[in-house]
């Protein structure tokens, strides 16, 4: 690669900063919710000592996390599920993926339920030991990313030669174990250890609230139910991940590794953490409104993503809203869908994501901005992500992408942006 090409995410200084700062952001958000009365910028009365003590890693936390990771890896390798073909690679070949997310989720629920109800490992432990677990997971994700850096170079090299950038973005596109086997590390990490762990953290918070107050608030039920639904939906439609930007265009490095393994479970559970000690009366009408918003967001998110996924699987026979899918043929060989939601805007799926994100925070009401971290950060991420995807597609499809953008002029929100 030409080093003249602009490096993404702020080049070397930006990449280095993100590698160092992202774990601190996760820890700081947790500090804010649990040790600083959900304040971001005022620190009188903050329990710094308790916070730093909680972060000290322990062997128990390491055993819990490594056991969890190993369980998920074993399920990915051995649980039953269909083998599905990925979209064509630049060399025209297809990789195979084992879609056993549903069976893995059920097996995980059985194992976790057995550990909890037998008293061997009550779920609340995840809430009480959050700090130690976080430190362990951060260390693990750094170590794993170092492995990915060298393994990617050895087996599937797409590095630029700029070490910190390669560490951040990854050196391999589809690192697999063994190198040409079925266990795809990027596909596995996209969901397996992180998404169910996030649900367990939510449940641990719910349990902690129940043990403290003797009941679970409606807000807590809604947040946990919405997020559980999102995760179940992911595994229900698991093959749809194969046509996303992460699988198709990204290498597998610290960015995705840390994002999937640490950032997602440890920051997306912030609302549930916030609610543990904040029990407020949520009127039923408000609860119903949030349910409606969540379902609308989930519907948009899933329907838009499935339209593209089904089109990519069989462009000639796919139908959308009862009609044959319309598309633009490109010189590169690929086809770009222009009917259904994909005729409304180029990323209408992101609208669904944002509506869902807002609905996950509204049940916390308005006492602090911290539980709104997810919708705020995520909206910014999606705007940036759309621009990155635009650049990648413009490079891939050339003037056909320009023609597509003329035909579908809005980026995310039809008529607005
Ligand atoms: P998309 O699913 O929109 O995938 C983008 C890719 O789709 C492009 O690179 C291109 O790849 C292909 N594409 C673009 N336009 C068309 C078209 N008109 N017809 C056919 N193919 C097209 O985006 P993302 O991968 O960003 O996101 C997938 C979902 O995951 C989104 O809903 C997103 O919000 C969500 N997500 C959630 C995250 C979270 O933390 N909660 C994080 C990241 C994503 P090609 O042409 O090469 O096939």
């Amino acid at each position: 690669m030409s080093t003249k090409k602009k490096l993404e995410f702020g080049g070397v200084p930006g990449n280095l900063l993100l590698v160092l700062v992202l774990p601190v952001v996760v820890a700081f958000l947790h500090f804010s919710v649990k040790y600083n009365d959900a304040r971001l910028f005022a620190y009188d009365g903050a329990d710094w000592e308790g916070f730093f003590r909680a972060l000290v890693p322990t062997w128990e936390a390491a055993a819990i996390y490594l056991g969890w990771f190993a369980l998920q890896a074993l399920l990915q390798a051995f649980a039953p599920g269909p083998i599905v073909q990925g979209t064509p690679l630049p060399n025209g070949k297809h990789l195979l993926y084992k879609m056993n997310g549903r069976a893995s989720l059920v097996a995980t629920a059985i194992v976790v339920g057995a550990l909890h109800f037998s008293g061997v490992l009550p779920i609340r432990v995840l809430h009480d030991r959050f700090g130690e677990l976080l430190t362990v997971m951060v260390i693990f994700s750094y170590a794993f990313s170092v492995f990915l850096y060298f393994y990617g170079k050895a087996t599937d090299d797409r590095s630029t030669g700029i070490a910190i950038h390669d560490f951040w973005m990854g050196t391999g596109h589809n690192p697999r174990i063994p190198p040409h086997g079925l266990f795809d590390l990027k596909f596995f990490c996209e969901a397996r250890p992180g998404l169910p762990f996030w649900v367990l953290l939510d449940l641990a918070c719910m349990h902690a609230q129940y043990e403290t107050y003797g009941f679970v608030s409606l807000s807590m039920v809604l947040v946990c139910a919405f997020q559980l639904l999102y995760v179940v939906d992911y595994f229900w439609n698991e093959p749809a991940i194969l046509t996303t930007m992460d699988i198709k265009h990204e290498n597998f490095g610290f960015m995705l590794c840390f994002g999937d393994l640490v950032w997602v479970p440890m920051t997306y559970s912030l609302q549930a953490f916030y609610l543990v000690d904040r029990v407020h009366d949520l009127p039923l009408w408000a609860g119903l409104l949030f349910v409606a918003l969540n379902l609308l967001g989930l519907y948009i998110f899933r329907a838009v993503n499935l339209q593209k996924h089904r089109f990519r699987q069989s462009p000639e026979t796919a139908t959308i809203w009862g009609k044959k899918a319309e598309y633009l043929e490109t010189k590169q060989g690929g086809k770009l869908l222009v009917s259904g939601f994909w005729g409304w805007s180029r990323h209408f799926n992101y609208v669904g994501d944002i509506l869902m994100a807002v609905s996950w925070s509204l049940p916390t009401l308005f006492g602090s901005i911290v539980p709104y971290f997810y919708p705020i950060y995520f909206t910014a991420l999606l705007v940036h992500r759309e621009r990155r995807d635009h650049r990648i597609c413009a490079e891939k499809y050339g003037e056909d992408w320009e023609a597509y953008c003329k035909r579908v002029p809005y980026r995310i929100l039809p008529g607005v942006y």
Side-chain angles (χ1 to χ4, degrees):
M1 192 202 84
S2 157
T3 48
K4 283 187 192 140
K5 191 172 165 182
K6 199 165 174 264
L7 298 178
E8 294 188 284
F9 295 95
V12 169
N15 298 171
L16 183 62
L17 193 71
L18 286 165
V19 167
L20 298 176
V21 162
L22 287 179
V24 180
V25 173
V26 183
F28 180 73
L29 289 167
H30 181 62
F31 157 77
S32 159
V33 162
K34 204 163 170 200
Y35 299 90
N36 194 29
D37 202 17
R39 296 169 305 166
L40 281 182
F41 303 114
Y43 306 106
D44 49 298
D47 182 9
W48 288 106
E49 208 190 314
F51 168 61
F52 285 118
R53 208 178 323 117
L55 283 181
V56 175
T58 59
W59 290 114
E60 287 90 340
I64 291 172
Y65 190 67
L66 292 177
W68 170 257
F69 196 91
L71 170 69
Q72 294 307 312
L74 287 172
L75 288 171
Q76 171 73 70
F78 300 113
I83 309 270
V84 167
Q85 213 177 41
T87 55
L89 298 170
N91 64 9
K93 290 188 179 161
H94 295 260
L95 290 171
L96 297 177
Y97 295 85
K98 194 170 184 188
M99 294 293 159
N100 56 11
R102 292 184 199 178
S104 301
L105 204 58
V106 172
T108 301
I110 293 170
V111 171
V112 171
L115 288 172
H116 173 73
F117 290 110
S118 66
V120 173
L121 193 60
I123 195 148
R124 197 189 152 141
V125 165
L126 301 183
H127 167 271
D128 298 346
R129 293 180 166 238
F130 185 92
E132 335 165 13
L133 280 165
L134 174 60
T135 308
V136 165
M137 288 161 74
V138 168
I139 295 169
F140 182 85
S141 67
Y142 276 125
F144 193 33
S145 302
V146 171
F147 163 76
L148 287 172
Y149 177 86
F150 290 108
Y151 193 69
K153 268 177 172 282
T155 59
D156 177 25
D157 194 8
R158 300 209 190 178
S159 58
T160 63
I162 303 168
I164 189 64
H165 184 68
D166 289 337
F167 181 77
W168 165 251
M169 296 296 290
T171 54
H173 193 253
N174 300 296
R176 289 185 161 217
I177 291 181
H180 300 291
L182 200 54
F183 197 109
D184 186 287
L185 291 169
K186 182 170 65 168
F187 168 73
F188 168 65
C189 288
E190 273 285 318
R192 291 312 167 84
L195 293 187
F197 198 71
W198 164 26
V199 169
L200 295 184
L201 284 167
D202 278 359
L203 291 178
C205 291
M206 188 187 254
H207 199 262
Q209 191 190 55
Y210 179 74
E211 286 195 337
T212 311
Y213 295 95
F215 64 91
V216 178
S217 68
L218 176 59
S219 294
M220 181 68 96
V221 170
L222 291 179
V223 165
C224 294
F226 293 165
Q227 298 185 344
L228 175 68
L229 190 61
Y230 178 82
V231 171
V232 170
D233 169 81
Y234 173 90
F235 286 108
W236 212 255
N237 296 290
E238 197 178 17
I241 193 72
L242 298 181
T243 52
T244 62
M245 196 176 156
D246 286 0
I247 296 292
K248 290 205 72 171
H249 303 304
E250 304 283 21
N251 286 350
F252 190 33
F254 183 81
M255 179 178 80
L256 285 185
C257 175
F258 179 80
D260 295 337
L261 300 185
V262 184
W263 183 270
V264 167
M266 305 315 249
T267 68
Y268 291 17
S269 54
L270 214 55
Q271 294 94 330
F273 266 92
Y274 176 82
L275 287 171
V276 171
D277 297 317
R278 293 168 185 90
V279 179
H280 44 241
D281 284 329
L282 183 69
L284 192 60
W285 64 264
L288 290 172
L289 201 68
F290 302 157
V291 170
L293 186 65
N294 180 258
L295 292 180
L296 175 67
L298 183 63
Y299 166 73
I300 294 175
F301 161 81
R302 181 46 65 206
V304 183
N305 284 322
L306 277 183
Q307 280 186 355
K308 184 193 66 179
H309 178 69
R310 290 185 179 138
F311 170 72
R312 276 275 175 260
Q313 295 301 101
S314 43
E316 301 307 335
T317 53
T319 56
I320 292 180
W321 298 339
K323 287 192 201 143
K324 194 176 172 316
E326 288 173 47
Y327 57 82
L328 279 183
E329 196 93 53
T330 70
K331 291 184 196 71
Q332 183 268 356
K335 299 175 171 65
L336 292 167
L337 182 59
V338 290
S339 64
F341 289 121
W342 294 84
W344 290 15
S345 76
R346 302 199 293 266
H347 280 278
F348 194 64
N349 45 356
Y350 291 176
V351 173
D353 279 283
I354 293 169
L355 292 179
M356 265 191 296
V358 171
S359 79
W360 296 351
S361 295
L362 284 172
T364 65
L365 298 183
F366 307 106
S368 162
I369 188 118
V370 181
Y372 286 81
F373 173 76
Y374 177 64
I376 294 168
Y377 128 83
F378 198 49
T379 304
L381 176 135
L382 290 179
V383 168
H384 179 250
R385 192 174 171 88
E386 187 282 327
R387 300 244 161 196
R388 285 189 68 224
D389 193 46
H390 180 79
R391 266 200 311 276
I392 293 169
C393 291
E395 217 168 86
K396 180 172 174 183
Y397 297 113
E399 59 192 27
D400 293 316
W401 185 254
E402 283 172 36
Y404 166 68
C405 292
K406 278 204 184 101
R407 175 137 180 200
V408 185
Y410 291 104
R411 292 171 184 272
I412 297 177
L413 192 58
V416 178
Y417 177 74

